[in-house]
Amino acid sequence: MNGKTDRRIFFYSAAVFLFLALSFGSGITRIYGFTLFPDEFGYWAPAASAVGYDWSGVMAHGSYYSFGYGVLLAPILLLCDHAIWAYRIALCVNALLLAAAFVLLHGVVKKLVPGAAPAQRVLSAGIAACYPPWLLYRNMTMAEILLVFCFALVCRLLLWYIERPSFGRFAAAGISAVYLYTVHMRSVPVLLSCVGCMVFIWLYDMRRLARPRTAGRLKCTGSRRVRAMARLIGALAVTAATVVAAAYIKRRIQASVYGEADRAMLSVNDYGGQISRIREIFTWKGFSELIFSLVGKLYYLSLSSFGLFFAGVWFFLKKLADKIAGVRERIFALFYLFSATGEILVCAVYTKGYGRIDGLCYGRYDELILPVLMAVGCFAVIQMRHPLRYAAAVILSGFPVTAMMEAVIRSRQLTDINGGYFISGLSYLLRYGSFEPENYFWKAYALAAVFIVLVIMVLLLVRRRGNFTWLLLVWIGVETLLGMSLNESMVYRQSRVRYQDLRMAELLRELGGETTVEEKASETAAGDGSEGRDCAAEGENVVPERRIVCYGGADSGCYAAVVQFELRDRTIFFFSPEEADRLTEHDLVMVCEKEDRSVLTELYTEHRVYGIFHLYYNE
């Protein structure tokens, strides 16, 4: 590469980092705590247990969450005892992981498309890294950003292994795939595909060694085969030992963190909870629901990726069928196709059914596979003879699916979309307080069609005019704006409520003093406008001996939160109204009835961080 090319790569790389930094830095000071429950709390729970906090009483109400993310969160909890700063530090780690994922994606694209212009490789990786839902999940302590980073790392290490198989490279890729699995169990197809492809490559090389060109090399080749087999067995043993260690840690965490949990509830996110779903597939109803679920997942991936999903799949299929491509390139294509297919099937089985609007095309579980597909999909579109026809085919294929989903929403009268978080790639028009189930997918489909046309036109101009590469950077800017819009409506809005709750938390901390409960309760209710009312026992100077209990009233739709944290040697819990009725006279009961309130979700202290966990009760 000449100096001009190096300068362009540096400029475009710096521009991508700048977009990532600006979209993150502009909102970090507006975030005060969790957005999604119980998921975020579930990922913090193993970290809390590792540093000595006992959250088992709270986690008894929830299902199992993988512990891999907790490995990164535990040092934060250990070193930082301020809740808000601990949370923000975790978000900064997310930002670094996403930036590192961009670097890894660029390395993957460089290996897969070696003949492409360097600037285009950088910007295609930038388009994948700035995918708007990533910019949303970066501002939450969900495991998604770590999953993106780990999957990109597995792909990069696998390509490194493919170049020259060795014990160390096998072990590095295998251990990375195992860690990816510990972050979320839905990534098990990636683990199986990675190990399977590495074994296949090693066996392929041993087969070549079995056919020496001359008789004089027979003895040398035989010893090389023995050493190669020993390295293969050793690498498999290391990977297997890592799997066993992960399973052991999982059992320990389930015993210590979820020891009081109901077995049925605990298995919802574990393998045991999927047996019934798999059995249902062999019935006509279950099979039809699975097909509908698969169609919905492909629909979401196609539209949310701006049409690049199928282009990326076509890229790998073409690579797999290309006789000119080497065996190793085809094996990596096979790895990615197997991984993508497995992830989509896992998500389709887990979310089949018609219980919720976002469940019809639930996208969060599948988005793990999108970064590399979007990056190589850019080059697949550039290489197409008729990219506009491809865009038309993608858009038209979504029309009947949209109609089908709208029909299901009307026939089953579905109204719950869970905030749109899990289909965020189709939630750009969703605004809090104005959700209308009718025609939701039609509006999302129309906007996605516009985005698909714009992306294809940009890539077409880049192909025809080499000096138009900067248009890819413009599209990265559009993605950044879309990500910031998602954060504004889904994260920052929630944080504004939590900021108000901080005022209530400060007053609650003073309840450990000598002031009467009745006075402090009235000050709390008046201080933040929560329209609360206290049910404290009558009498003067009544101080709660053990706990303060808060719950959602009838107007909050049977919504309750469970909060546990240290308050001057006292513990605060949130219970349902039925449970609150059974409390003793020494318990102060406060009720928050406003539906848009998060019910003291920022009950933190500057000394300990315990967290928040939501429950939903059926009437």
Side-chain angles (χ1 to χ4, degrees):
M1 285 186 288
N2 54 40
K4 183 178 180 180
T5 301
D6 291 338
R7 287 193 297 272
R8 292 187 69 190
I9 293 176
F10 176 80
F11 170 77
Y12 285 131
S13 299
V16 173
F17 283 123
L18 182 62
F19 276 125
L20 291 172
L22 288 176
S23 62
F24 177 70
S26 62
I28 182 63
T29 58
R30 303 166 63 187
I31 300 174
Y32 298 92
F34 297 159
T35 299
L36 289 180
F37 310 95
D39 302 62
E40 288 191 78
F41 181 81
Y43 292 125
W44 282 86
S49 177
V51 299
Y53 298 154
D54 182 10
W55 291 9
S56 57
V58 180
M59 294 308 299
H61 299 280
S63 55
Y64 171 72
Y65 286 86
S66 298
F67 64 88
Y69 192 20
V71 174
L72 298 183
L73 298 177
I76 298 175
L77 276 180
L78 184 63
L79 299 175
C80 182
D81 57 5
H82 191 284
I84 296 176
W85 281 109
Y87 190 83
R88 289 178 177 176
I89 291 172
L91 299 186
C92 291
V93 172
N94 276 352
L96 294 176
L97 288 173
L98 188 58
F102 162 64
V103 176
L104 291 171
L105 287 170
H106 176 239
V108 171
V109 173
K110 188 176 180 180
K111 293 295 182 182
L112 294 178
V113 197
Q120 292 180 10
R121 292 199 297 256
V122 171
L123 293 178
S124 67
I127 288 175
C130 292
Y131 174 59
W134 299 146
L135 304 185
L136 171 68
Y137 284 118
R138 182 186 55 187
N139 288 334
M140 307 176 193
T141 52
M142 299 288 284
E144 309 312 308
I145 300 303
L146 181 56
L147 287 170
V148 172
F149 168 78
C150 288
F151 190 38
L153 178 63
V154 169
C155 291
R156 187 66 188 91
L157 290 175
L158 183 57
L159 285 169
W160 185 47
Y161 167 82
I162 286 174
E163 291 178 352
R164 184 170 60 83
S166 67
F167 169 82
R169 297 184 180 193
F170 189 115
I175 292 173
S176 299
V178 174
Y179 178 67
L180 172 67
Y181 169 73
T182 67
V183 176
H184 204 294
M185 291 191 298
R186 72 175 185 260
S187 59
V188 63
V190 179
L191 172 60
L192 297 177
S193 299
C194 178
V195 174
C197 286
M198 287 192 294
V199 171
F200 185 84
I201 291 174
W202 209 312
L203 294 177
Y204 170 77
D205 287 341
M206 290 184 62
R207 183 181 177 185
R208 289 193 303 111
L209 291 174
R211 291 179 290 185
R213 295 180 180 178
T214 62
R217 296 176 56 189
L218 181 60
K219 183 177 180 180
C220 179
T221 302
S223 62
R224 289 176 61 188
R225 289 188 64 202
V226 171
R227 289 196 299 270
M229 178 60 71
R231 288 194 296 268
L232 173 60
I233 294 174
L236 284 173
V238 170
T239 304
T242 308
V243 173
V244 172
Y248 173 76
I249 296 173
K250 175 184 173 182
R251 288 197 300 270
R252 289 292 301 271
I253 288 177
Q254 287 183 334
S256 60
V257 180
Y258 302 88
E260 302 176 22
D262 178 74
R263 295 295 99 183
M265 174 64 73
L266 183 62
S267 67
V268 170
N269 287 338
D270 209 343
Y271 290 115
Q274 314 311 313
I275 296 176
S276 60
R277 290 189 175 97
I278 295 174
R279 289 175 179 171
E280 291 173 357
I281 296 175
F282 298 97
T283 65
W284 172 249
K285 178 183 177 182
F287 182 74
S288 61
E289 289 180 349
L290 176 63
I291 297 300
F292 184 89
S293 182
L294 282 170
V295 172
K297 306 309 175 283
L298 295 174
Y299 171 85
Y300 176 84
L301 293 172
S302 175
L303 297 186
S304 68
S305 65
F306 315 115
L308 296 176
F309 167 71
F310 284 118
V313 173
W314 178 81
F315 175 90
F316 282 117
L317 287 175
K318 185 179 179 182
K319 183 77 69 175
L320 194 62
D322 188 1
K323 296 182 179 179
I324 299 178
V327 174
R328 302 177 190 280
E329 295 180 60
R330 294 202 293 268
I331 289 177
F332 182 82
L334 199 63
F335 154 76
Y336 211 94
L337 291 173
F338 276 159
S339 298
T341 303
E343 293 296 327
I344 294 172
L345 285 173
V346 167
C347 182
V349 171
Y350 185 78
T351 61
K352 69 181 181 64
Y354 312 107
R356 219 169 56 198
I357 291 177
D358 58 328
L360 300 179
C361 60
Y362 193 97
R364 181 171 70 96
Y365 277 12
D366 290 334
E367 287 174 317
L368 167 68
I369 65 176
L370 279 182
V372 174
L373 288 175
M374 290 180 66
V376 300
C378 293
F379 295 100
V381 172
I382 291 174
Q383 296 169 3
M384 287 180 182
R385 293 183 179 179
H386 305 288
L388 293 179
R389 293 183 185 178
Y390 166 77
V394 172
I395 294 172
L396 291 176
S397 66
F399 186 88
V401 182
T402 305
M404 182 172 59
M405 289 186 174
E406 288 290 341
V408 171
I409 291 174
R410 288 192 299 270
S411 63
R412 298 182 178 270
Q413 298 181 342
L414 303 180
T415 58
D416 184 15
I417 199 170
N418 199 25
Y421 294 101
F422 302 143
I423 53 171
S424 53
L426 296 179
S427 299
Y428 302 115
L429 299 177
L430 185 64
R431 290 294 178 268
Y432 177 73
S434 61
F435 173 64
E436 298 178 359
E438 195 74 19
N439 297 324
Y440 171 79
F441 280 111
W442 281 122
K443 297 173 185 177
Y445 167 73
L447 182 62
V450 173
F451 289 150
I452 291 173
V453 171
L454 289 176
V455 169
I456 299 301
M457 291 298 297
V458 166
L459 293 172
L460 189 59
L461 286 172
V462 170
R463 182 180 72 176
R464 292 182 176 179
R465 298 178 179 271
N467 57 348
F468 273 36
T469 302
W470 57 270
L471 285 175
L472 297 175
L473 187 61
V474 172
W475 182 253
I476 293 175
V478 173
E479 286 185 308
T480 303
L481 292 176
L482 290 175
M484 295 173 71
S485 175
L486 289 176
N487 278 289
E488 187 66 42
S489 61
M490 296 184 180
V491 176
Y492 304 146
R493 173 186 59 80
Q494 296 274 17
S495 289
R496 285 195 293 269
V497 176
R498 284 157 176 72
Y499 177 74
Q500 297 171 3
D501 293 333
L502 284 174
R503 298 165 57 192
M504 180 180 290
E506 289 299 318
L507 292 175
L508 281 174
R509 288 180 58 201
E510 299 177 11
L511 287 174
E514 297 179 356
T515 309
T516 65
V517 171
E518 289 179 325
E519 291 176 351
K520 283 301 178 181
S522 61
E523 290 174 8
T524 300
D528 75 335
S530 64
E531 300 181 6
R533 66 177 182 273
D534 68 279
C535 301
E538 296 182 358
E540 297 181 356
N541 298 321
V542 179
V543 179
E545 294 182 354
R546 292 184 59 79
R547 55 193 173 186
I548 301 171
V549 182
C550 305
Y551 59 88
D555 295 338
S556 64
C558 288
Y559 167 94
V562 179
V563 179
Q564 178 180 347
F565 71 102
E566 184 172 314
L567 178 64
R568 298 189 183 182
D569 299 327
R570 293 175 177 83
T571 302
I572 290 186
F573 294 93
F574 278 36
F575 289 100
S576 67
E578 294 76 11
E579 293 171 321
D581 290 339
R582 298 192 292 269
L583 299 176
T584 69
E585 61 181 7
H586 297 295
D587 297 318
L588 168 66
V589 179
M590 298 180 61
V591 182
C592 179
E593 294 183 349
K594 292 183 66 176
E595 187 172 358
D596 61 344
R597 296 284 300 172
S598 57
V599 196
L600 307 181
T601 54
E602 283 302 328
L603 288 181
Y604 294 130
T605 70
E606 55 188 293
H607 303 294
R608 297 290 181 90
V609 182
Y610 278 157
I612 299 100
F613 181 70
H614 276 206
L615 296 176
Y616 296 88
Y617 293 90
N618 296 321
E619 291 185 300

